Structures are given as structure tokens and as C-alpha cells.
Amino acid sequence: MIFSYNQLFSFTEAVFQSIGCPEADATLATETLLSADLRGIDSHGVARLVGYVRLWEAGRINAAPRVGVTYETPSTAIVDGDGGLGLVVGPKAMQVAIEKARQVGTGWVSVRNSNHFGIAGYHAMKALAHDMIGMAMTNASPLVAPTYSLDRLLGTNPIAVAVPAANQPDFVLDMATTTAANGKLEIAQRKNIPIPEGWAQDAAGTGSTDPNAVKNGGALLPLGGATGSHKGYGLGAVVDIFSAVLSGANYGPWVPPFVAFLQPPADPVGQGIGHFFGAMRVDAFRPADEFKAHMDNWISTFRNARATEGQHVLIPGDPERETAAHRLLDGIPLLDAVIKDLETVGAKFGVKLS
Amino acid sequence: MIFSYNQLFSFTEAVFQSIGCPEADATLATETLLSADLRGIDSHGVARLVGYVRLWEAGRINAAPRVGVTYETPSTAIVDGDGGLGLVVGPKAMQVAIEKARQVGTGWVSVRNSNHFGIAGYHAMKALAHDMIGMAMTNASPLVAPTYSLDRLLGTNPIAVAVPAANQPDFVLDMATTTAANGKLEIAQRKNIPIPEGWAQDAAGTGSTDPNAVKNGGALLPLGGATGSHKGYGLGAVVDIFSAVLSGANYGPWVPPFVAFLQPPADPVGQGIGHFFGAMRVDAFRPADEFKAHMDNWISTFRNARATEGQHVLIPGDPERETAAHRLLDGIPLLDAVIKDLETVGAKFGVKLS
């Protein structure tokens, strides 16, 4: 079934207000969450609304947080999310990075005491309107085994980098540091089909094509698969360190799970989960027009490269941008299971999905 | 044959002086170059000395560059390498980043008009002694095909991140954004053995296990292999943009080749090759002692994870640090072909390898 962006927006905003989000925060959280549905990253969008509500019911989300800077230098800040929705904490912290960049060329903000923030790309893209390069990363619940490990110590820890161009669409990289996101395993589980090699290992640490491998005590594998997973592990580790060891959030196996039915570790090493945001003013390096003209040249050179039969070379962000344009016009398809979840959560608060 | 670090140092320093490097630059270039041999990254060390000399003979390296800041804000700078050895330009630019970080918390330097800078990890590690996180990246000669591309548009574009710890050894990630470095293909060529899937494609864009695939018109593949190469492509692209589009160096297919027998493109889009350096003062986020104590906890948690039979979980930088400790004591092994090259280049300048 297809829903318009506006339908989902009204519904989601009303649900966030129902759990106690102030109006402006509810709007912000909705915009952040639905950016995933627009961009085709369905696993991180409105399908997760019920998950956020359950975390709030479990007392693990503060719907009316006082998000603030607790420490700063001219180019850096620590933001304490006060246990709020990452969907609200994230944009506020990114705004701090942008302000710092306006002042001294770049701004870098590490965030503690937050929660899941939706898609990293959304936050990084906030910099684009200011002719800045944006960066966003976050740690996440441990599902990933470092190279040779049987233990799950890292999340899918995404990295996003958004770079402005002139006439070409902007460059927007948004990638998990694993070979595949957990959402792709869930799809394979539903279809009961094997997963490609390099996505997961079983409980004994052996590469597995069983879509239930992670569920049954296995783990997702870092980007790089059989011959290069130490690189994905290293990148995921950097995301964890920048997001949480710098900020004072939980890291590694201490990151609290997103699902409310799993308890957070009893011996936390920090507060909540952590994010890291960066903004770099392009004209802190060279005139913005000059930079953006070269970005246009970069983009068109790569886009027009000779390609394998029936394919063409994509620029990071192309598929998501095209999906967003399409879904804004034609609506956002939701799975029946997701609709049912939304109707249940709506009924709880007297909010209708219509 | 085994050579002591001091033997190779004296020899290399004398060769750099012979091509006209001022004494201090020759020492700096030697320290930078040999850090690769010490750390076991033999492809990037003294084996390349003859390559640098040939570039100088071809008039493509300025042995006595005036390296300087051409533009800056409180947290950023552009450094012009004046066509110098990256081995000299790199450390000087990293020093600028460190000074900026001292002043305003972080420093970010994009470099144009440079040349190959050795291993990225060496530059990132310069930040550690200052209780800073160091970052270094560089673009490089195009050998890598983006996902679906038949054309080679990117280099192996490495990323290095160094993070200080307290009692544990520092965390040092230094990785190419490809599945395998070209050096590994060269080893397979010499041994005439097939390469693993996911390393390279042939001229038609089909995955290949032929060690000569790249030589014969194919390309290296971005990190991620068959199911995730768009991620490695995206990371390599970010390195290219930060290093060269920000600085005004050549990017993508315009990056000049390292080998002197190939001419640089006739229509450059910038000057030389580009690097990008970052330094973040740890105490611009939280007290350094607190941060480093948590890094110790992070490192020991990961190191002590349950591992697959006969293995243990490594921390990025472990193998290189162990090799360096060992080689400082016991010497650095060189292949006969490398020794012969060094003797030839030494004879040219009356410098003996002894």
C-alpha cells in the first residue's frame, strides 16, 4: 500500500507529540525519520516508529530532552542529548557543527546520551545549503564481529559525507561499515533465501549463507568480506571511537540495544549511544564557486565513464535522490506488517493513519 | 639480505641529498620513507627510492621546494607543496594541522602540488605525541575502477586514523580503500599464482583471478568486492575530493602516474597530487586522561574477545607495530631486485649501500 509523504508526516508527528515531544521536536523528529522512507532506506524510516515508542514506554527515551553543549572550543563541542530521540538530538548537534564552521572554518561535535538518529546521510546533508561539506556517523547496537572475533562488538556504524556541487546534484555517500545492513538479512529471512557469502558468520565464526545466522548467535561481517574485513572493522572502530569514546557515550559491546525487549548492559561505560558530526566550510579552503565547478567536473567525469554492459557508473547519492523525487510525487510504499504496526501504535494514542 | 635501519637511513639520506634536497629535508624524507620499511609495508618504502629519483630526473619533482600555507582560517589551511617530495611536504602540512588544533581544537589541511607521501599512517601518527587524533589521506595514480566502470578513475587512496591510548599501544588504522593494494598483485605476478576473487577485474570489467589483469587493461576493485564495492568506491571518492578538489590538485583520472615512464595527462585540472591531513586535540572534547583510559578499555575489550580457533582479535596497528619493533632490532630484509636497484641508483651518485 502507498501512502503520501504528507499522510505519513501528519501521523508520525502526532505520535511523537503523543509520547510527549514538544511540537517543534515532534516536527523535527518526523522530518528526520521520514527522510529515510523518502530516500528508500525503508529499514530506518517509519517502520521504526513503533521501536522508538517501545523504547519510550520502557523509560529509555526522554521525549522532552534539554539538548545542550556541555564543553566546547572554537572548532569542537560536546553535546549531551539528555536521553532524547537521536532524531532530535542529531539535527541540533549538527547545527552546532555548522555554527562552528561558520566561525572558524570547520566544526566537530561529538554527542553522548543520545539514541538512534535515523539515517546518517540526512544529517550530513544539512551542511550542503551552507556550501559546507557535512559528515555524520553514529555507533549502534553490537551485531558485528571484528575480524577473527566470535563476539559481536560493533554496530553497523555508518559514515555519511555530503559534498556540494554547482549544477550537478550533490555527492552524498551514506554507508554502513558492514558488507550488508541487518535489514537485508531480515528480507532474506522473510523470503527464506540464502544470503551472499561475506555478509555474516555463524556462532562458530564460519562464513555462512544462512539468513538466520545472526539471529542464531552469529554476527554481521565488516565491509571487505573474506579478504578485507579488517578494513571494515577498522572503519567501524573509528566510528565507535569518534562517536562514543570522545563524547562519553557507550561504546563497543556496551552500546544499548535498539529493541526494547533487550536490556542495556548493567555496567555502562558511558551515557546512551554516541554520534559524531562535522562541517567544513568549502571556502575555508578555496572559493566556493571554484570548488563547486570542479565538483561538477568530478561528477560528470565519473558519471560518463565507460561502463559494463547495461550499467552506468553512479555517483554516491544518485539512487537515493531519484527515489526521493519519485516518492515525494507518487508516495511511499509500506509493507503490510509495517502498516499493522503503525495502526496498533496509532490506536494506542487515538491517532489515525489515513 | 638484511640491512640495519641505520644503514638504510644513511644511504637514503645521502641519495636525497645528492638529488639536491637540503639536509633537513633529506633527513625528513628518509624518516618518512623508511617508516614504511620499519612497519612492514615494503611496497611503499626504500623500494620506491629509485622511483622518486626517476621522477626527479624527469623533472617532475622539485628537490628544494618552498612549502607554504597559501590560504587559511583558524581551523583550516591550504598548503602548496611546490612540486616537492610528498615525503617532505606531508610532514610539514601535518605540522600545520597540529598547530591549528593546538589553537582552536582541530586543524584540517588540504595539500596541492605534492607528490607521493609514503604511508598515510606515518603522518597520522605524528599527532599522537600531542594527545591528538591524527588523520591522513592522499589520492594516487588511477588504477581503480568505480563500481560498473571499465575506466580507472581512482587511486588506492588510503585513509589513516591514529588515536592515542594510555597504557595500551595506540590505535593506528592505515588502509587502502581497495580490497588489495597493487603491491599484492605484483607479488602474485612474480609467483605466477592466481589472485583471490574481488581484487581485480579484466579489461571487459569481469572479475578476474589473473594476477596480470590490471597490467592488461583491467583495474583494481574498490573495497567491498562483489557485493559492496560501491562503498569502497565512495570512500576512495571522498579521499580524492578532500585531497584534491578542496586543495586544487589533480583528481580522478588526472592524477599524475608515479612511474616516470608514463606521462602525466596533458590537460591537468590542478597541480600535482593532493593530500588531506587532520588533527583533533583529544581534550577539545573531554579530559585527555579520561579519554585515554577509555581507549585502554576499548582496546583491551576488543583484544580479549573470543576468537576463532588459532586466531586472536587484532587492534589496527598491531601487526605494523610488532614488525617495527622487530626490524629496528634485527634489521630490514630487502629483495635482491630492490638491492640491485639501490646499488644502481647509489652508483650514480657515488653513494654506497653498505
Side-chain angles (χ1 to χ4, degrees), chain A residues 44 48 55 60 114-117 138-145 152-158 177-178 182 214 219-220 239-240 250-260 262-265 272-275:
Chain A
H44 285 57
R48 281 199 173 168
L55 281 177
R60 283 165 52 191
S114 185
N115 226 298
H116 293 258
F117 75 4
T138 185
N139 68 6
S141 321
L143 288 174
V144 181
R152 303 168 177 180
L153 297 175
L154 290 169
T156 52
N157 295 9
T177 52
T178 48
N182 199 36
V214 178
L220 289 173
V239 172
D240 198 34
N250 289 292
Y251 46 80
W254 289 278
V255 178
F258 181 70
V259 288
L262 290 178
Q263 287 306 308
I273 78 169
H275 319 305

Side-chain angles (χ1 to χ4, degrees), chain A residues 1-5 7-8 36-43 46-47 323 326-328 330-336 338-339 342:
Chain A
M1 245 182 103
I2 310 274
F3 293 83
S4 77
Y5 178 70
Q7 273 179 302
L8 292 180
D37 297 288
L38 277 183
R39 294 174 71 75
I41 306 159
D42 298 344
S43 54
V46 75
T323 302
H326 179 262
R327 288 189 170 185
L328 256 183
D330 301 336
I332 295 165
L334 294 183
L335 295 175
D336 289 345
V338 171
I339 297 170
L342 292 180

Side-chain angles (χ1 to χ4, degrees), chain A residues 25-325:
Chain A
D25 280 10
T27 307
L28 184 57
T30 302
E31 190 191 315
T32 311
L33 187 68
L34 294 190
S35 70
D37 297 288
L38 277 183
R39 294 174 71 75
I41 306 159
D42 298 344
S43 54
H44 285 57
V46 75
R48 281 199 173 168
L49 181 60
V50 59
Y52 287 104
V53 170
R54 283 197 194 118
L55 281 177
W56 169 78
E57 288 170 334
R60 283 165 52 191
I61 280 181
N62 176 2
R66 301 205 308 182
V67 180
V69 170
T70 59
Y71 185 73
E72 62 187 319
T73 72
S75 76
T76 68
I78 292 290
V79 162
D80 188 313
D82 195 22
L85 288 163
L87 305 168
V88 169
V89 177
K92 292 185 179 182
M94 185 67 197
Q95 194 53 42
V96 175
I98 289 169
E99 287 303 328
K100 298 261 172 205
R102 222 191 296 276
Q103 298 297 321
V104 297
T106 67
W108 306 90
V109 176
S110 191
V111 180
R112 68 162 173 263
N113 207 359
S114 185
N115 226 298
H116 293 258
F117 75 4
I119 53 170
Y122 169 82
H123 303 286
M125 288 172 75
K126 288 284 181 183
L128 295 171
H130 307 281
D131 277 357
M132 295 180 188
I133 293 173
M135 298 179 63
M137 34 186 104
T138 185
N139 68 6
S141 321
L143 288 174
V144 181
T147 311
Y148 301 135
S149 174
L150 297 177
D151 291 331
R152 303 168 177 180
L153 297 175
L154 290 169
T156 52
N157 295 9
I159 298 173
V161 181
V163 183
N167 302 315
Q168 293 284 346
D170 304 316
F171 172 107
V172 182
L173 175 69
D174 183 0
M175 53 171 267
T177 52
T178 48
T179 305
N182 199 36
K184 292 202 178 172
L185 267 74
E186 289 168 0
I187 292 167
Q189 284 163 26
R190 268 184 240 120
K191 297 188 180 166
N192 201 22
I193 53 171
I195 53 173
E197 308 233 3
W199 284 20
Q201 67 184 25
D202 63 19
T206 308
S208 173
T209 59
D210 175 359
N212 298 300
V214 178
K215 262 188 171 172
N216 296 333
L220 289 173
L221 292 178
L223 178 64
T227 58
S229 79
H230 58 292
K231 296 185 181 184
Y233 156 41
L235 289 170
V238 167
V239 172
D240 198 34
I241 291 166
F242 284 18
S243 300
V245 185
L246 269 182
S247 67
N250 289 292
Y251 46 80
W254 289 278
V255 178
F258 181 70
V259 288
F261 63 84
L262 290 178
Q263 287 306 308
D267 55 343
V269 293
Q271 294 176 284
I273 78 169
H275 319 305
F276 187 77
F277 300 101
M280 301 198 288
R281 234 173 57 212
V282 162
D283 69 3
F285 295 94
R286 73 191 294 189
D289 287 351
E290 210 176 283
F291 174 85
K292 291 196 290 183
H294 278 287
M295 273 309 295
D296 277 5
N297 185 38
W298 193 101
I299 290 168
S300 61
T301 301
F302 279 66
R303 205 193 291 290
N304 295 321
R306 292 179 306 131
T308 52
E309 185 71 27
Q311 298 288 0
H312 63 282
V313 176
L314 300 172
I315 305 302
D318 277 354
E320 296 86 354
R321 188 187 60 256
E322 284 160 20
T323 302

